[in-house]
Every structure is written in C-alpha cells, then in structure tokens.
Amino acid sequence: MYGRVHVGNARPFVVFSLLKRFLVHEGFEVTLVMNITDVNDKIYAASLEAGVGSAELAAEMTEAYTADTDRLELGRPDHEPLASATIDEILALIERLVERGHAYASGGDVYFDVRSYRNYGELSHRKLDDMDQGEDVEGAERKRDPVDFALWKAQKPGEDTAWNSPWGRGRPGWHIECSAMAESLLGVDFEIHGGGSDLIFPHHENEAAQTSAARDAPLARLWVHNGMVRLDRSKMAKSVGNIFMLGDALAAHGRDALLMYFCGGHYRQPVEFDDERLAEAGARVRRIREAGRRLAAGPSPEWSRPLRDRFFAALARDFNTPRALAALFDWVSAANSSAAPVGDGELREMLAVLGLENLLAAQAAGAPAEVTELSQTRERARAARDWAEADRLREQIRARGWEVRDGPGGPELLPAA
Ligand SMILES: [Zn+2]
C-alpha cells in the first residue's frame, strides 16, 4: 500500500467483505483477516521521494486506507494485522525454514531455496524454468539460483526502518510477511485465502510454498482470486497510470451504486470501470428504492420464496452475484406487479448480503446523514452564490438517490423518482 485507495484496490475489499456476509448468512463462523503490508520496497522508495520517514509514511498510508475503505460502509474485517507488528513471527518462520534446509543466508539476506520444495508451481501451474520472481537485480549475485526469492533483506542505504535478526539488520520480504500474519491469526490449513488474480504468481505461490515447507501443512485449502478492475481496457494500476480514486468514485456515484457495480460482475472476471456500467448500477439502485416505497414491512408472501432461494443458490455456486441479482430483480418485478403491498422481509434479507440493506431503510428514516450534510453544504454554496458548486452538490445528492427541491421554507429532500 503506497497511496490512496483506487477502485481496483477496493474490489477485493468489497468481494471478501460480501463473501463473509454470505457465509455468515449460511451459518458459518467466519474470521476475516486482511493483511496490511506496511513494510515493502515501494514504501521505502516513496518515503525517500517525499522526504518523510518510511514508518511515518506507512502509518499515514494505513490510516488513509482505513478512511477510504470505511466509506464503503461494509464494516471492518475482524483483523487487519500490520507486517511491522508481526516481525517476531516472521523471524521465527524464516529460522524454521533455514533449519529445515529450505532457506539459506547469503550476505545479510535470506532466500527461499525454491528447488528444495517439491511442489513449487502447484498453485500457479508454472514450470520452474520460466519463472521470474520480479526481484531487483541487486540481489541476483547472492542467490544460489535465479528462481529463489527473498525472505529477509539486509538493510540498504536510505532504508530508515530496519529490525535486528540473526543475519544482521534488515527487513522481511513481502511474501513471508503474509504467511506469518495469516498464520498468527488463523493458524495453518485454514479454509479460504483470497486476493487479486494478479497476485497468484509469485506472491501466493511463494506464500503457499513457504508455509507448506515450514509446517508440513498447507497454508489454505482454497484460493479465491478476484479479477482485475480495468480502465480503458487495461488493469487499473498505479504503475500503469490509469487509476480512478475510490474517494472520487464515491463522490461521483455514491456507495450504493458502487457496490451494485461490483456485484454486477462475477468476482473472478475482469470488470471494466466505465460510465455505461456505472449508470446501469445507479439505475438498478433507483429501481430498488422505487420498489421499496410500495413495499410493506414484514414477512414476504409465499410466491417470493423460490426467487429468494434462487438468489442464495446463485451465491452458493462460486459466489455468482450477477445471477443472484437477476433473481433479486425478478423478485422486485413480481412485487411491482402485485396489487397489494408486498412484505419486504426477503428482499431485505437478500440486500443485506450485498451490503445494500440501507436501500430500504432510507425510505423509512428519511434522507441519510450523508445526504443531509450534502444538502447543508449546498445551502452554504448557494448563500455564497457559488452556483456551479451548488449544482455539483445537487448531482452528488442525486447520485445517492435523493432530489433537492428548493421551496419557500428552504430545501426539501425527496427520494429521487
Ligand atoms: Zn499477501
């Protein structure tokens, strides 16, 4: 993490937060851990560039990440361990690998001996000889084999954060950080390890190899990889330069439409971040709000059960949110064509798993605080005769499904039709 969260970073946060909601709904006890790798090459580079200490910069980044993802209003994971707070566990894991002959020290660094681990390549289905660990050339002469990767790196000039180790001062490699953080909270052989599909190799391959070589047990039983968010047909990434910040996306479209946008694609597939898809997601959000106005509180009628079951069956089959949404919208259509008001119980149950339960709550309770605040800011802009700003705020309010009407008694907020 070395910058504000962009929409591509937000996808795994959304996918795994919602997957947890679904599993809890199905009766599982779930512990969701999201690692924060606050020690890595990019942070040292960024800290030198910014002239700020790397520990200070990492703390700032972590705070920004939390603030940005909080705005998705999906709650926090159960644990968000920091690599910098897991150094003892990381060192113990590296020492064990050295003892077992799976790692070797070299010039203050420690490397994993890839050829000592028979099942290497199992996760990413790659052959050893066409592997590139993507590590800097500096370490090349200290490796016994170019396919080996760093577990511990000796402190380099300009790196202001370092820890003592049996091999001298230095800091952990990225892959071992994740293995140690996961193990410290979940043990090994836990059920699901998630992450972006761009991390399968080398990151997840190396995590799996290290833990298995150290513990004679797999790190995780199941690996779940989300597809990339794409902008202009390329993976959204800071290194590519085509990022769209999460904060800007939330301001422009609102969190409901953004969640609906993510649910509109299957988690494993890449998804294009474009106006068409976002407009469609916004329209879907409005459709549910609209239907909500005609619903009654309480249990749903008999006819709705098979649709509700279809929704949960779609999620049970590889978390197919687009299929689940199709069932949900069939439910909405059926409710819309019903002569009598329909009980909203099952719609609420479905929406809650997608993090969208507030679409119905907002009806009953009036405009949410966020919308009221935007409206007050707009009033101040109008008082200052900043009409462009007032119009921009009106659009932001509309993106959240509300309409401002300027009446004689001041502005009034109504759910958008
Ligand atoms: Zn990781």
Side-chain angles (χ1 to χ4, degrees), residues 41-93:
D41 294 337
K42 288 167 179 173
I43 290 177
Y44 289 107
S47 108
L48 279 179
E49 205 173 290
V52 187
S54 62
E56 194 187 323
L57 184 68
E60 242 171 65
M61 297 289 169
T62 303
E63 212 174 289
Y65 164 80
T66 307
D68 284 345
T69 48
D70 264 348
R71 295 179 58 194
L72 291 164
E73 294 168 45
L74 289 171
R76 300 307 310 169
D78 299 291
H79 302 281
E80 295 174 278
L82 299 172
S84 63
T86 318
I87 300 294
D88 290 347
E89 291 86 344
I90 293 169
L91 286 171
L93 192 54

Coordinates of all heavy atoms in Angstrom, one line a residue, residues 41-93:
D41 N 9.2 -2.6 -0.5 CA 10.1 -1.8 -1.3 C 9.5 -0.4 -1.7 O 10.1 0.6 -1.7 CB 10.4 -2.5 -2.7 CG 11.2 -3.8 -2.4 OD1 11.8 -3.9 -1.3 OD2 11.1 -4.7 -3.3
K42 N 8.2 -0.5 -2.1 CA 7.6 0.8 -2.6 C 7.5 1.9 -1.5 O 7.6 3.0 -1.9 CB 6.2 0.4 -3.1 CG 6.2 -0.3 -4.4 CD 4.9 -0.9 -4.8 CE 4.9 -1.7 -6.1 NZ 3.6 -2.4 -6.4
I43 N 7.3 1.4 -0.3 CA 7.2 2.4 0.8 C 8.6 3.1 1.0 O 8.6 4.3 1.1 CB 6.7 1.8 2.1 CG1 5.2 1.5 1.9 CG2 6.9 2.8 3.3 CD1 4.6 0.8 3.1
Y44 N 9.7 2.3 0.9 CA 11.0 2.9 1.1 C 11.2 3.9 0.0 O 11.7 5.0 0.2 CB 12.1 1.9 1.1 CG 12.1 1.0 2.4 CD1 11.6 -0.3 2.4 CD2 12.5 1.6 3.6 CE1 11.7 -1.0 3.5 CE2 12.6 0.8 4.7 CZ 12.1 -0.5 4.7 OH 12.1 -1.3 5.8
A45 N 10.9 3.5 -1.2 CA 11.1 4.4 -2.4 C 10.3 5.7 -2.3 O 10.8 6.8 -2.5 CB 10.7 3.7 -3.7
A46 N 9.0 5.5 -1.9 CA 8.1 6.7 -1.8 C 8.5 7.6 -0.6 O 8.4 8.8 -0.7 CB 6.7 6.2 -1.5
S47 N 9.1 7.0 0.4 CA 9.5 7.8 1.6 C 10.7 8.7 1.2 O 10.8 9.8 1.6 CB 9.7 6.9 2.8 OG 11.1 6.8 3.1
L48 N 11.6 8.1 0.5 CA 12.8 8.9 0.0 C 12.4 10.0 -0.9 O 12.8 11.1 -0.7 CB 13.8 7.9 -0.8 CG 14.7 7.1 0.1 CD1 15.5 6.2 -0.8 CD2 15.6 7.9 1.0
E49 N 11.4 9.7 -1.7 CA 10.9 10.8 -2.7 C 10.2 11.9 -1.9 O 10.4 13.1 -2.3 CB 10.0 10.1 -3.6 CG 9.9 10.8 -5.0 CD 9.1 10.0 -5.9 OE1 9.6 8.9 -6.4 OE2 7.9 10.4 -6.2
A50 N 9.4 11.5 -0.9 CA 8.6 12.5 -0.2 C 9.4 13.2 0.9 O 9.0 14.2 1.5 CB 7.4 11.9 0.4
G51 N 10.6 12.6 1.3 CA 11.4 13.2 2.4 C 10.7 13.0 3.7 O 10.9 13.8 4.6
V52 N 9.9 11.9 3.9 CA 9.3 11.6 5.1 C 9.8 10.2 5.6 O 10.1 9.4 4.7 CB 7.7 11.4 4.9 CG1 7.0 11.3 6.2 CG2 7.2 12.6 4.1
G53 N 9.9 10.0 6.9 CA 10.3 8.7 7.4 C 9.4 7.6 6.9 O 8.2 7.8 6.7
S54 N 10.0 6.4 6.6 CA 9.2 5.3 6.0 C 8.1 4.8 7.0 O 7.0 4.5 6.6 CB 10.1 4.2 5.5 OG 10.7 3.6 6.6
A55 N 8.4 4.8 8.3 CA 7.4 4.3 9.2 C 6.3 5.3 9.3 O 5.1 4.9 9.4 CB 8.1 4.1 10.6
E56 N 6.6 6.6 9.3 CA 5.6 7.6 9.4 C 4.7 7.5 8.1 O 3.5 7.6 8.2 CB 6.4 9.0 9.4 CG 5.5 10.1 9.8 CD 6.3 11.4 9.7 OE1 7.5 11.4 10.0 OE2 5.7 12.4 9.2
L57 N 5.4 7.4 7.0 CA 4.6 7.3 5.7 C 3.7 6.1 5.7 O 2.5 6.2 5.3 CB 5.6 7.2 4.5 CG 4.9 7.2 3.1 CD1 4.3 8.6 2.9 CD2 5.9 6.9 2.0
A58 N 4.2 4.9 6.2 CA 3.4 3.7 6.2 C 2.2 3.9 7.1 O 1.1 3.5 6.8 CB 4.3 2.5 6.7
A59 N 2.4 4.6 8.3 CA 1.3 4.8 9.2 C 0.2 5.7 8.5 O -1.0 5.5 8.7 CB 1.8 5.4 10.5
E60 N 0.7 6.7 7.8 CA -0.2 7.6 7.1 C -1.0 6.9 6.1 O -2.2 7.1 5.9 CB 0.6 8.7 6.4 CG 0.4 10.1 6.8 CD 1.5 11.0 6.2 OE1 1.5 11.1 4.9 OE2 2.3 11.5 6.9
M61 N -0.3 6.0 5.3 CA -1.0 5.2 4.2 C -2.0 4.3 4.8 O -3.1 4.1 4.3 CB 0.1 4.3 3.5 CG 1.1 5.1 2.8 SD 0.5 5.8 1.4 CE 1.8 6.9 0.9
T62 N -1.7 3.7 6.0 CA -2.6 2.7 6.6 C -3.9 3.5 7.1 O -5.0 3.0 6.9 CB -1.9 2.0 7.8 OG1 -0.7 1.4 7.3 CG2 -2.8 1.0 8.5
E63 N -3.6 4.7 7.6 CA -4.8 5.5 8.0 C -5.6 5.9 6.9 O -6.9 5.8 6.9 CB -4.2 6.7 8.7 CG -5.1 7.3 9.8 CD -4.4 8.4 10.5 OE1 -3.4 8.2 11.2 OE2 -4.8 9.6 10.3
A64 N -5.0 6.3 5.7 CA -5.8 6.7 4.6 C -6.5 5.5 4.0 O -7.7 5.6 3.6 CB -4.8 7.2 3.5
Y65 N -5.9 4.3 4.0 CA -6.6 3.1 3.5 C -7.8 2.8 4.4 O -8.9 2.5 3.8 CB -5.6 1.9 3.6 CG -6.2 0.5 3.5 CD1 -6.6 0.0 2.3 CD2 -6.5 -0.2 4.6 CE1 -7.2 -1.2 2.2 CE2 -7.1 -1.5 4.6 CZ -7.4 -2.0 3.3 OH -8.0 -3.2 3.2
T66 N -7.7 2.9 5.7 CA -8.8 2.7 6.6 C -9.9 3.7 6.3 O -11.1 3.3 6.2 CB -8.4 2.7 8.1 OG1 -7.3 1.8 8.2 CG2 -9.5 2.3 9.0
A67 N -9.6 5.0 6.2 CA -10.6 6.0 6.0 C -11.3 5.8 4.7 O -12.5 5.9 4.6 CB -9.9 7.4 6.0
D68 N -10.5 5.5 3.6 CA -11.1 5.3 2.3 C -12.1 4.1 2.3 O -13.2 4.2 1.8 CB -10.0 5.0 1.2 CG -9.3 6.3 0.8 OD1 -9.8 7.4 1.1 OD2 -8.2 6.2 0.2
T69 N -11.6 3.0 2.8 CA -12.5 1.8 2.8 C -13.7 1.9 3.8 O -14.7 1.3 3.5 CB -11.7 0.5 3.0 OG1 -10.8 0.7 4.2 CG2 -10.8 0.1 1.8
D70 N -13.5 2.6 4.8 CA -14.6 2.9 5.8 C -15.8 3.5 5.0 O -17.0 3.2 5.4 CB -14.2 3.9 6.9 CG -13.8 3.2 8.1 OD1 -14.0 2.0 8.3 OD2 -13.2 3.9 9.0
R71 N -15.5 4.3 4.0 CA -16.6 5.0 3.3 C -17.4 4.0 2.5 O -18.5 4.4 1.9 CB -16.0 6.1 2.4 CG -15.4 7.2 3.3 CD -14.8 8.3 2.5 NE -15.8 8.9 1.6 CZ -15.5 9.7 0.6 NH1 -14.3 10.0 0.4 NH2 -16.5 10.3 -0.1
L72 N -17.0 2.8 2.3 CA -17.8 1.8 1.7 C -18.9 1.3 2.6 O -19.9 0.6 2.2 CB -17.0 0.6 1.2 CG -16.0 0.9 0.0 CD1 -15.0 -0.2 -0.1 CD2 -16.8 1.0 -1.3
E73 N -18.8 1.6 3.9 CA -19.8 1.3 4.9 C -20.1 -0.2 4.9 O -21.3 -0.6 5.0 CB -21.1 2.1 4.7 CG -20.9 3.6 4.9 CD -22.1 4.4 4.5 OE1 -23.2 4.0 4.8 OE2 -21.9 5.4 3.8
L74 N -19.0 -1.1 4.9 CA -19.2 -2.5 5.0 C -18.7 -3.0 6.3 O -18.6 -4.2 6.5 CB -18.5 -3.2 3.8 CG -19.2 -3.0 2.4 CD1 -18.3 -3.5 1.3 CD2 -20.6 -3.7 2.4
G75 N -18.3 -2.2 7.2 CA -17.7 -2.6 8.4 C -16.2 -2.9 8.2 O -15.7 -2.8 7.0
R76 N -15.5 -3.3 9.2 CA -14.1 -3.6 9.1 C -13.9 -5.1 9.1 O -14.8 -5.8 9.7 CB -13.2 -3.1 10.3 CG -13.2 -1.6 10.5 CD -12.8 -0.7 9.3 NE -11.6 -1.1 8.6 CZ -11.3 -0.6 7.4 NH1 -12.0 0.2 6.8 NH2 -10.2 -1.0 6.8
P77 N -12.9 -5.7 8.5 CA -12.5 -7.1 8.7 C -12.3 -7.4 10.2 O -12.1 -6.4 11.0 CB -11.2 -7.3 8.0 CG -11.1 -6.1 7.0 CD -11.9 -5.0 7.7
D78 N -12.3 -8.6 10.6 CA -12.1 -9.0 12.1 C -10.7 -8.6 12.5 O -10.5 -8.2 13.6 CB -12.4 -10.5 12.3 CG -13.8 -10.8 11.9 OD1 -14.7 -10.4 12.6 OD2 -14.0 -11.5 10.9
H79 N -9.8 -8.8 11.6 CA -8.4 -8.4 12.0 C -7.7 -7.8 10.8 O -7.9 -8.2 9.6 CB -7.5 -9.7 12.3 CG -8.1 -10.5 13.5 ND1 -7.9 -10.1 14.8 CD2 -8.9 -11.6 13.5 CE1 -8.5 -10.9 15.6 NE2 -9.1 -11.9 14.8
E80 N -6.9 -6.8 11.0 CA -6.1 -6.1 10.0 C -4.7 -6.0 10.5 O -4.2 -4.9 10.9 CB -6.7 -4.8 9.6 CG -8.1 -4.9 9.0 CD -8.8 -3.6 8.8 OE1 -9.4 -3.0 9.7 OE2 -8.7 -3.1 7.6
P81 N -4.0 -7.1 10.5 CA -2.6 -7.1 11.1 C -1.6 -6.3 10.2 O -1.8 -6.2 9.0 CB -2.2 -8.6 11.0 CG -3.0 -9.2 9.9 CD -4.3 -8.4 9.9
L82 N -0.7 -5.7 10.9 CA 0.4 -5.0 10.2 C 1.6 -5.8 10.2 O 2.0 -6.5 11.2 CB 0.7 -3.7 11.0 CG -0.4 -2.7 11.3 CD1 0.1 -1.6 12.3 CD2 -0.8 -2.1 9.9
A83 N 2.3 -5.8 9.0 CA 3.6 -6.6 8.9 C 4.6 -6.1 10.0 O 5.3 -6.9 10.6 CB 4.2 -6.4 7.5
S84 N 4.6 -4.8 10.2 CA 5.5 -4.2 11.1 C 5.3 -4.6 12.6 O 6.2 -4.5 13.4 CB 5.5 -2.6 11.0 OG 4.2 -2.2 11.4
A85 N 4.1 -5.1 12.8 CA 3.8 -5.6 14.2 C 3.9 -7.1 14.3 O 3.5 -7.7 15.3 CB 2.4 -5.1 14.6
T86 N 4.4 -7.8 13.2 CA 4.5 -9.3 13.2 C 5.9 -9.7 13.0 O 6.1 -10.8 12.5 CB 3.5 -9.8 12.1 OG1 2.3 -9.0 12.1 CG2 3.2 -11.2 12.2
I87 N 6.9 -8.9 13.3 CA 8.3 -9.2 13.0 C 8.8 -10.4 13.7 O 9.5 -11.3 13.1 CB 9.2 -8.0 13.3 CG1 8.8 -6.7 12.4 CG2 10.7 -8.3 13.0 CD1 8.9 -6.9 10.9
D88 N 8.4 -10.6 15.0 CA 8.9 -11.8 15.7 C 8.4 -13.1 15.0 O 9.2 -14.0 14.9 CB 8.3 -11.8 17.2 CG 9.0 -10.7 18.0 OD1 10.0 -10.1 17.5 OD2 8.5 -10.4 19.1
E89 N 7.1 -13.1 14.6 CA 6.6 -14.3 14.0 C 7.2 -14.5 12.6 O 7.5 -15.7 12.2 CB 5.1 -14.2 13.8 CG 4.2 -14.2 15.1 CD 4.1 -12.8 15.8 OE1 4.9 -11.9 15.4 OE2 3.2 -12.7 16.6
I90 N 7.5 -13.5 11.9 CA 8.2 -13.6 10.6 C 9.6 -14.2 10.8 O 10.0 -15.1 10.1 CB 8.3 -12.2 10.0 CG1 6.9 -11.7 9.6 CG2 9.2 -12.2 8.7 CD1 6.8 -10.2 9.2
L91 N 10.3 -13.7 11.8 CA 11.7 -14.2 12.0 C 11.7 -15.6 12.4 O 12.5 -16.4 12.0 CB 12.4 -13.3 13.1 CG 12.8 -11.9 12.7 CD1 13.3 -11.1 13.9 CD2 13.9 -12.0 11.7
A92 N 10.7 -16.0 13.3 CA 10.6 -17.4 13.7 C 10.3 -18.3 12.5 O 10.9 -19.4 12.4 CB 9.5 -17.6 14.7
L93 N 9.5 -17.9 11.6 CA 9.2 -18.7 10.4 C 10.4 -18.8 9.5 O 10.7 -19.9 8.9 CB 8.0 -18.0 9.7 CG 7.3 -18.8 8.5 CD1 6.8 -20.2 9.0 CD2 6.1 -18.0 8.0

